[in-house]
Amino acid sequence: MPVAEPAVAELAPVESSRHSRRWLLIGISLMALLLYWLGLGMRNGNAPTLDPVGPGDQVAPGLFQPQAPALTLGMDAALARTTLGKPDEESTGRWDYGPSWVEFQCGKVVGWYSSPLRPLRVERDSARATPAQAPGC
């Protein structure tokens, strides 16, 4: 029976190497799951979806939507209201939007001030029409 002993001795290292590989795979799998759970994997909302309004397909607001025009000198009051919305206070020659305001003459924009506290949809903070443009309704 001396032949049987070497066969058992050869099986023991093979069995322990399979056992250690199995534990190594289990450990790597658990580590990957732990990293994913801690947030190193894809977070909810970053995964691409086929839903056009899904969480992964967020686009900057208004990126593909037509923009309302910015307020310009000479713009009529109806277009100015569409661009800026309803004013907080309205008089014949001036609309107030909190600390910002828009001035009108003959139904046309002749000036404005856009405060940083409540900015208007304009290209620059303030504008004034020259006196030669204002008269003559």
Side-chain angles (χ1 to χ4, degrees):
M1 302 245 166
V3 177
E5 286 181 31
V8 171
E10 288 176 14
L11 289 177
V14 171
E15 195 67 33
S16 69
S17 123
R18 284 183 188 166
H19 186 66
S20 64
R21 267 192 246 144
R22 187 175 299 149
W23 277 109
L24 180 64
L25 288 174
I26 290 172
I28 290 172
S29 300
L30 288 175
M31 187 64 94
L33 285 172
L34 179 66
L35 289 174
Y36 183 81
W37 184 72
L38 288 174
L40 297 178
M42 293 183 68
R43 296 191 186 279
N44 188 16
N46 290 339
T49 65
L50 295 177
D51 181 11
V53 293
D57 297 329
Q58 294 175 354
V59 179
L63 185 61
F64 297 112
Q65 298 172 356
Q67 294 290 321
L71 191 70
T72 58
L73 292 172
M75 181 181 279
D76 67 336
L79 188 55
R81 185 179 299 273
T82 302
T83 302
L84 301 175
K86 183 180 177 191
D88 297 335
E89 293 182 32
E90 183 176 343
S91 66
T92 308
R94 182 173 163 146
W95 292 353
D96 291 324
Y97 294 89
S100 300
W101 49 263
V102 180
E103 286 186 336
F104 294 90
Q105 193 169 49
C106 302
K108 304 283 184 186
V109 175
V110 293
W112 68 78
Y113 169 70
S114 180
S115 170
L117 299 175
R118 187 169 171 193
L120 301 174
R121 186 177 300 199
V122 292
E123 293 179 3
R124 54 188 176 171
D125 290 340
S126 63
R128 284 277 204 208
T130 60
Q133 293 174 331
C137 294

